[in-house]
Each structure stands twice: as structure tokens, then as C-alpha cells.
Amino acid sequence: MSQDKISILLVEDEENLQEALKLNLELENYEVTGVYDGVEALKAIQQEHFDLMILDVMLPELDGISVCESVRLQNNDIPILILSAKNSSADRVLGLKKGADDYLTKPFNLEELLLRVNKLVQKSQRIATRQPLDLQYQFGKNLIDFKAQECVTKDGERISLTKKEMMLLKLLIENKNEVVTREKILQSVWGYNVYPTTRTIDNFILNFRKYFEEDSRNPTFFHSVRGTGYKYTEV
């Protein structure tokens, strides 16, 4: 098989639907591995690389939400598209909160599914080509030393940073110029044991503005995106 093919893990226990989806995805030139339950999905993820996972919610052995949560706890950034017969806003929010990138309810339009798959594949390719951060990162008059867990502010002051501050800075900078959702921050920085309020994350952003912005009321680098998340902008 071509090494350039995009690989998709399709997790769907309904045999007819899996066969139909697999066929249509392969017609779009994707390489598809199909499994029928949550346990097999986790095994497959651990054994090989996939560019995307399409994940049904109602699965035998282990449900899709639990699979999604487990994948994110392993710090795996694979884009996840959830398919679900559950169409309430609460179900959708739960799926996104547990780490899904997109949520599509059944029955769905095939063309819409393929469009969403294409969008998530592009995201996967951006992740794959993302350069790891150096131990030190400079922007404006500021310097962050990830190894020493400290920063030099715009005023030349050296400040020790908490572990959470370092993790949030790293996450935002790695995704520079892109909005990082509150859910993604929860997964990456706080894990699943503690859910901070939006105000808690806002306070971190306010601290970053105090350290790094020339004018904290009109930030250049650290932005809150109402109703969505937060963004680091590189000038």
C-alpha cells in the first residue's frame, strides 16, 4: 500500500454500516482499519499510527466515550470523530468534553461525513508536521525557559512559573495562531480529575498578560476567544 495514504481507524459494531463506511472511505483513497468494539480500538491505537479515528458511541465491551477518554489520557493527539445515535446537546457536549474533535449524529449524510473527515485529516497533518518547542522560547521582549521552569518578562524580571503555567504556555505556543478549546486545555493541563472553572483559566491568561504584554488591556500575544477557548498569537 502507498505510504502516502491517510490511515483511518473505524470503530463501529454495526456490520452493515461499517462495511458501507469502509467502502466509501476507501473510494476516497483512505486506508481503513475496521474494528468492532472499544477494547479492540484501544489495542489498535497502541499498536500502530492512525491519522484519524471514527468512533461509534454505543459499542460492546467498552463504550466510545470511554475509549475517547482513554486515548486522551495517553496524550494521543489523534483527531477523533464521534458517530452517535444520541443527538441531545448534553451528549454532544460530553463527547467533546472527553476529547472528541467532532460529533456527528446518526443518521448522517455521507457527503457531510466525508467533508468532516477531510477537515480532521488536515488537522492531523498539521499536528504531524508541528515542530517541537526548543527548551527556550523567545517572543517580543520575553523569554520562557521550559527546562528551568521560569521566564524573563518584558521588564527583564525573572519569575518562577508553576507547573500548570508551564503546561498551559507550552500548549498555547505549540498551537500558535490557533484557538485552543477549553476542553483541550482541560485534557492536557488538568487531566480529568479536576475541572477548573473558566474563571480559573482566565486567571492564568491574565497572569500571562501581566508578565508578557506591554499593554495588558490590549494584548498582543494572549487572547480569550469568547465561548470557545484561548489563543497565543505570534506577531
Side-chain angles (χ1 to χ4, degrees):
M1 289 185 182
S2 168
Q3 293 300 307
D4 295 326
K5 274 196 174 182
I6 299 298
S7 60
I8 294 176
L9 177 62
L10 174 60
V11 192
E12 170 59 65
D13 68 319
E14 192 181 324
E15 191 170 349
N16 290 339
L17 180 56
Q18 176 164 146
E19 288 179 2
L21 285 174
K22 192 169 189 289
L23 175 63
N24 280 281
L25 289 165
E26 287 173 345
L27 287 171
E28 297 292 317
N29 207 34
Y30 295 119
E31 184 178 298
V32 183
T33 299
V35 298
Y36 291 90
D37 65 63
V39 173
E40 288 300 313
L42 290 180
K43 284 182 184 175
I45 284 284
Q46 289 165 359
Q47 289 170 358
E48 60 182 295
H49 168 80
F50 294 97
D51 297 291
L52 171 66
M53 176 159 61
I54 299 175
L55 179 63
D56 186 27
V57 168
M58 304 295 284
L59 294 169
E61 302 292 333
L62 191 67
D63 67 89
I65 298 296
S66 298
V67 171
C68 188
E69 183 174 20
S70 182
V71 168
R72 293 302 184 230
L73 285 172
Q74 296 165 17
N75 289 320
N76 191 325
D77 278 336
I78 179 175
I80 297 174
L81 169 59
I82 280 185
L83 301 181
S84 177
K86 297 181 176 182
N87 60 6
S88 76
S89 59
D91 290 316
R92 180 182 175 84
V93 166
L94 178 63
L96 296 172
K97 187 175 281 188
K98 293 299 184 181
D101 295 88
D102 203 351
Y103 191 104
L104 188 59
T105 56
K106 299 177 180 179
F108 51 81
N109 177 285
L110 178 62
E111 188 175 356
E112 181 182 0
L113 171 75
L114 294 175
L115 284 170
R116 292 186 186 218
V117 165
N118 182 57
K119 183 179 177 183
L120 290 175
V121 162
Q122 290 176 4
K123 177 177 181 177
S124 182
Q125 291 173 325
R126 288 200 303 273
I127 291 170
T129 56
R130 185 183 294 156
Q131 294 296 313
L133 290 178
D134 292 333
L135 292 177
Q136 291 190 337
Y137 184 83
Q138 190 159 6
F139 59 104
K141 298 177 181 177
N142 310 290
L143 176 71
I144 300 172
D145 189 326
F146 290 104
K147 188 174 182 182
Q149 204 168 304
E150 61 184 22
C151 68
V152 178
T153 71
K154 64 184 186 302
D155 301 318
E157 183 181 0
R158 189 174 293 272
I159 294 176
S160 293
L161 297 167
T162 67
K163 185 177 180 182
K164 290 280 191 292
E165 284 178 322
M166 292 298 297
M167 291 171 73
L168 182 53
L169 278 170
K170 189 170 187 288
L171 179 65
L172 292 172
I173 293 170
E174 282 178 340
N175 293 275
K176 63 184 176 186
N177 301 323
E178 292 184 18
V179 176
V180 182
T181 64
R182 180 174 179 270
E183 287 73 29
K184 175 67 175 174
I185 291 171
L186 286 172
Q187 296 151 19
S188 302
V189 180
W190 273 269
Y192 289 97
N193 296 323
V194 180
Y195 282 90
T197 64
T198 300
R199 184 181 297 277
T200 302
I201 305 175
D202 281 339
N203 287 338
F204 274 70
I205 300 297
L206 289 173
N207 281 340
F208 295 163
R209 289 175 181 168
K210 187 170 67 177
Y211 300 155
F212 305 125
E213 302 282 6
E214 294 289 348
D215 181 356
S216 60
R217 291 179 180 274
N218 296 289
T220 301
F221 303 108
F222 294 95
H223 306 272
S224 299
V225 182
R226 184 180 294 277
T228 308
Y230 307 84
K231 180 168 70 170
Y232 166 76
T233 302
E234 187 164 283
V235 182

